Amino acid sequence: MKKLLLGTTALVAAGAFIGAAQADEMMAEPVSVGVGGYTTGAVGFASDGDDGTRSHSIDYVYEIGVSGSTTLDNGITVSVSGQLGRSSDRSSCEIDLDHMGEDPQKCTGGTDFDEIHTTLSGSFGALRIGRTESAAFNATVAAPGAGIGGMLGVNYSWFSTSASAVNTYSGIGAEDALKVVYTSPNFNGLTIGMSYAPNNTDENFGDRSTAGLGEHTAAGATYSSDFMEGGSFTLGAGYEMASGDGDPSAARAGINISVDQISFGGSMYDHDADGMQFDAGASWTQGATEVGVQYANKEDGDSTKTALHLTYTLGPGVLIGGQIAAGSSDGDDDVTQFMLGTAVFF
């Protein structure tokens, strides 16, 4: 018995030593993390016939991301990613300043990680968990010609004063609610994704209420292929549904076709309660210059919007551009907008 105990003790000690050695090795070579992101800023001038609004304004949006990955001996790649940013929506603040001894009124925009997740990927596809978009959102293929990393165009309301927002990237509930997302391997250009979120929230286990908008399930698929010489096209489609608050559902589909320097296409998003919205557009690229035009329509409120933009790449990651947009919406004055902006990617 004594020999058995001594033998067991030796095995435990050896295991602890090996475990400590492995831990030291892991700590000696942690996942390398890089930093990237973008900043976009613009000055806008608008005419809408409303004496209660100023004719010009300035806006600024940023997002800073940290990411890193490592490949294990079994071939599985483990990656982490988080985005810290602020959009033009100042209706809420994600930092609880009440517990930081600060004045809550100083909080003018969300500055918490709006997305943060871990992904395991390999021959089986990719499995992601955390605050991230749904499989339907990931399958979005919208009209080309947005310019400056999406700051311009009909689908981006951050810098827009032109009528009601038209956005075929829309989704049901919180875009970055905590969820699990699976994406299949690429089968000759086809990928399929599925996602599930138990609650419409980015909070932790503490919020398991079934009230309001609850479980969210989504599926999406994209297909890309080349044709002829210098041509390619991409198709995307998705469907999502949620429980509670009327059990909403929505579908989306889009296509982009590129031939040499010209791209054109469009997309639609149909929400069973809010109606359909769609966009169509085209862009032409010559060297560092891109010209794009887009049109969008939103059935709910009969909103329409047209945008023409020009962007120019000054250097790697540095763009400038301008846009002229016009929009109309039931119950509001028609709007004409002119905007000048810049974007820096790093």
Side-chain angles (χ1 to χ4, degrees):
M1 184 67 178
K2 184 176 181 181
K3 291 182 179 179
L4 177 61
L5 289 174
L6 288 174
T8 304
T9 302
L11 289 173
V12 171
F17 176 79
I18 294 173
Q22 290 176 339
D24 288 342
E25 182 179 351
M26 291 174 63
M27 293 302 293
E29 298 181 5
V31 177
S32 298
V33 175
V35 178
Y38 67 87
T39 64
T40 56
V43 179
F45 304 85
S47 172
D48 57 9
D50 186 353
D51 293 335
T53 60
R54 188 172 288 107
S55 62
H56 57 280
S57 185
I58 298 175
D59 206 352
Y60 193 80
V61 171
Y62 70 85
E63 185 169 277
I64 299 173
V66 293
S67 61
S69 66
T70 185
T71 301
L72 307 178
D73 292 339
N74 57 14
I76 295 177
T77 298
V78 181
S79 59
V80 294
S81 178
Q83 288 82 45
L84 175 71
R86 186 197 75 81
S87 71
S88 299
D89 182 5
R90 299 178 176 83
S91 60
S92 63
C93 180
E94 298 180 47
I95 292 181
D96 187 2
L97 295 180
D98 290 332
H99 295 85
M100 298 174 63
E102 299 285 347
D103 179 4
Q105 298 302 318
K106 293 180 180 179
C107 190
T108 57
T111 52
D112 196 4
F113 279 98
D114 55 355
E115 292 181 33
I116 185 164
H117 46 77
T118 300
T119 304
L120 305 178
S121 58
S123 59
F124 57 87
L127 183 65
R128 175 177 294 180
I129 183 170
R131 298 184 194 174
T132 185
E133 292 95 348
S134 70
F137 181 96
N138 292 334
T140 301
V141 176
I148 308 193
M151 187 178 77
L152 308 178
V154 295
N155 264 307
Y156 303 89
S157 59
W158 289 347
F159 292 87
S160 176
T161 60
S162 193
S164 299
V166 178
N167 190 351
T168 60
Y169 285 88
S170 299
I172 297 174
E175 177 182 306
D176 296 325
L178 283 166
K179 60 176 65 73
V180 176
V181 183
Y182 170 74
T183 305
S184 73
N186 189 312
F187 300 107
N188 295 320
L190 174 67
T191 59
I192 300 172
M194 296 173 288
S195 64
Y196 172 76
N199 290 90
N200 181 44
T201 177
D202 59 8
E203 299 297 328
N204 55 24
F205 286 102
D207 187 359
R208 299 190 300 278
S209 173
T210 57
L213 195 63
E215 293 178 293
H216 182 278
T217 306
T222 58
Y223 177 75
S224 298
S225 181
D226 297 330
F227 64 91
M228 297 189 303
E229 185 176 350
S232 65
F233 70 90
T234 300
L235 302 170
Y239 180 80
E240 55 187 319
M241 58 184 180
S243 63
D245 285 350
D247 297 334
S249 63
R252 72 184 70 225
I255 183 172
N256 268 345
I257 300 174
S258 296
V259 180
D260 294 327
Q261 300 159 305
I262 299 174
S263 297
F264 58 94
S267 63
M268 56 75 66
Y269 174 78
D270 189 10
H271 191 291
D272 58 0
D274 297 332
M276 180 184 292
Q277 45 192 322
F278 69 87
D279 68 350
S283 65
W284 173 76
T285 303
Q286 177 64 48
T289 303
E290 180 191 64
V291 179
V293 60
Q294 294 180 319
Y295 172 80
N297 180 282
K298 184 176 182 180
E299 178 181 323
D300 181 23
D302 291 329
S303 301
T304 63
K305 187 175 178 182
T306 304
L308 173 66
H309 81 265
L310 171 68
T311 60
Y312 183 79
T313 301
L314 293 175
V318 182
L319 296 84
I320 59 172
Q323 173 175 277
I324 298 175
S328 63
S329 181
D330 283 357
D332 296 323
D333 293 327
D334 292 350
V335 178
T336 302
Q337 173 186 280
F338 174 69
M339 185 169 59
L340 291 173
T342 183
V344 178
F345 298 86
F346 55 90

